[in-house]
Amino acid sequence: AYLGSASADTGYTVELTPDITLATGASAFTGAFGDGYIWRFTVSTELDLTPPQIQSVIPLADSTVARNILIQVNFNEAVDPTQASGFYPGVPPIPNFANLSARDSADAIIGGAWTAVNQSLTSEFVSNNACGINSCGETIYCLPSNEDISVTVVAATVGSEAPAATLPYNGVVDMAGNSLDGNGDGTATGPVTDSYAWGFSTTNDIELDPPVVTAMTPSITPGNPAQNIDFDQPIRLTFDSLLSLATMNADNILLRTPSGSLWYTFEAAILNPTANPVHQVTVGHGIFSANILYGLETDSGLRSVYQNCFTPSRTTSCVGTGANCCNDQAQAAQCVYPDFTL
């Protein structure tokens, strides 16, 4: 049944109690969440009957790329993460995940993990074939070398009330249960007509260049914070390459405030999607306050789509020497608050 009603907005509360346990028998909620977790939301009077579509893919169709690239499928709206994440082969008792798959030229599925990231707007694949070490000492994983790779995104079976998919889902659906519209014609009819596929080729090369920041919003004068910005000013970082969106999180991109209490979120968009694509990351946040200095910190845990670590001293305008870049000036010491850290 649909939530809410057709005549008035309806509020809901969901409570996850501390009685929920992990498969090991231990409590699923510990520490600050030891009493469980509660959240609230409101549904409108409208229904979402629009099926999701694929907005872009990485690598580009028919391109040739280094073998340590990740695969990304970008949707035009958030998809159900339980249907866009999984392992092949599955770890028992988890079944093999097949809603998205990458295959070699012999049609064998490439082992690895798909993860819903970027607020469930993207599903990202990393293989389980270790092939090297990046500059942070982390393992790099590769696709098969010198291969023609094909990727398929499976649309779910549609029931009698299209575009709604039948339960249990057997393909990609949005957060309202609408099946994928893979051919982009505005309707969802199921896996035969609406599954999406494309291909690309790999070389035997491993790409080791780190991502570099090419632009910042709000812009700054090196050595000085931005001045007189709006309270709701979005913060944006533009890179010279694509990113692993699984690493675009609050461990690697931090919005520093005096109290540390301002909420913030991330969303990535691809610029120049058909030629030389790069990522622009937007940091959404709560309303800024007057006369308070804020800072955005980007750490080496952020990785490129080739799994290379961001170098904290790398922007196209940062001058001087040193391991860190503070207010767009290089220095050896770690950036200190009130620039970036508490």
Side-chain angles (χ1 to χ4, degrees), residues 11 22 50 75 82 91 127 137 191 204 240 265-266 280 299 313 320 326 336:
L22 304 176
T50 303
F75 301 94
T82 67
V91 180
S127 82
N204 194 39
D240 69 341
T265 61
F266 311 98
Q280 182 180 77
D299 294 336
S313 59
C326 308
V336 295

Side-chain angles (χ1 to χ4, degrees), residues 238-258:
T238 303
F239 293 82
D240 69 341
S241 58
L242 295 165
L243 302 176
S244 165
L245 299 185
T247 66
M248 185 186 67
N249 55 46
D251 291 328
N252 303 321
I253 304 176
L254 299 89
L255 182 57
R256 299 293 194 180
T257 67

Side-chain angles (χ1 to χ4, degrees), residues 50-58 71-85 97 99-101 114-125 151-156 171-175 178-184 194-198 245 267-270 279:
T50 303
Q53 297 180 350
I54 291 176
Q55 196 167 54
S56 62
V57 295
I58 300 297
I71 300 173
Q72 291 177 349
V73 181
N74 299 297
F75 301 94
N76 68 339
E77 62 170 305
V79 295
D80 183 339
T82 67
Q83 303 304 310
S85 300
F97 179 73
N99 290 355
L100 296 97
S101 62
W114 290 92
T115 306
V117 293
N118 191 25
Q119 300 189 56
S120 295
L121 291 166
T122 301
S123 188
E124 182 173 278
F125 176 78
V151 185
T152 301
V153 185
V154 178
V172 172
V173 298
D174 67 12
M175 296 298 286
N178 298 313
S179 182
L180 177 70
D181 172 20
N183 61 15
D194 276 314
S195 294
Y196 183 95
W198 87 98
L245 299 185
E267 186 172 324
I270 294 179
H279 265 129

Side-chain angles (χ1 to χ4, degrees), residues 58-295:
I58 300 297
L60 299 178
D62 302 320
S63 63
T64 301
V65 294
R67 61 193 177 107
N68 58 318
I69 196 169
L70 304 176
I71 300 173
Q72 291 177 349
V73 181
N74 299 297
F75 301 94
N76 68 339
E77 62 170 305
V79 295
D80 183 339
T82 67
Q83 303 304 310
S85 300
F87 301 92
Y88 188 93
V91 180
I94 301 172
N96 292 338
F97 179 73
N99 290 355
L100 296 97
S101 62
R103 298 173 181 264
D104 61 21
S105 56
D107 204 35
I109 296 179
I110 300 168
W114 290 92
T115 306
V117 293
N118 191 25
Q119 300 189 56
S120 295
L121 291 166
T122 301
S123 188
E124 182 173 278
F125 176 78
V126 57
S127 82
N128 57 15
N129 176 33
C131 59
I133 302 294
N134 65 18
S135 60
C136 293
E138 301 166 330
T139 302
I140 291 175
Y141 297 88
C142 284
L143 298 169
S145 61
N146 299 317
E147 271 281 8
D148 294 328
I149 308 293
S150 62
V151 185
T152 301
V153 185
V154 178
T157 299
V158 174
S160 58
E161 297 183 2
T166 58
L167 290 168
Y169 301 137
N170 59 357
V172 172
V173 298
D174 67 12
M175 296 298 286
N178 298 313
S179 182
L180 177 70
D181 172 20
N183 61 15
D185 65 356
T187 61
T189 56
V192 174
T193 56
D194 276 314
S195 294
Y196 183 95
W198 87 98
F200 61 92
S201 300
T202 60
T203 67
N204 194 39
D205 299 327
I206 293 180
E207 172 64 59
L208 294 175
D209 290 335
V212 175
V213 173
T214 60
M216 294 171 283
T217 302
S219 60
I220 62 174
T221 302
N224 298 290
Q227 302 289 325
N228 301 318
I229 66 170
D230 294 335
F231 291 153
D232 59 352
Q233 167 73 60
I235 305 171
R236 294 190 175 94
L237 292 175
T238 303
F239 293 82
D240 69 341
S241 58
L242 295 165
L243 302 176
S244 165
L245 299 185
T247 66
M248 185 186 67
N249 55 46
D251 291 328
N252 303 321
I253 304 176
L254 299 89
L255 182 57
R256 299 293 194 180
T257 67
S259 65
S261 61
L262 188 70
W263 66 262
Y264 56 101
T265 61
F266 311 98
E267 186 172 324
I270 294 179
L271 306 183
N272 311 317
T274 59
N276 301 316
V278 299
H279 265 129
Q280 182 180 77
V281 175
T282 297
V283 182
H285 55 81
I287 298 298
F288 289 142
S289 298
N291 302 317
I292 291 180
L293 190 63
Y294 298 89

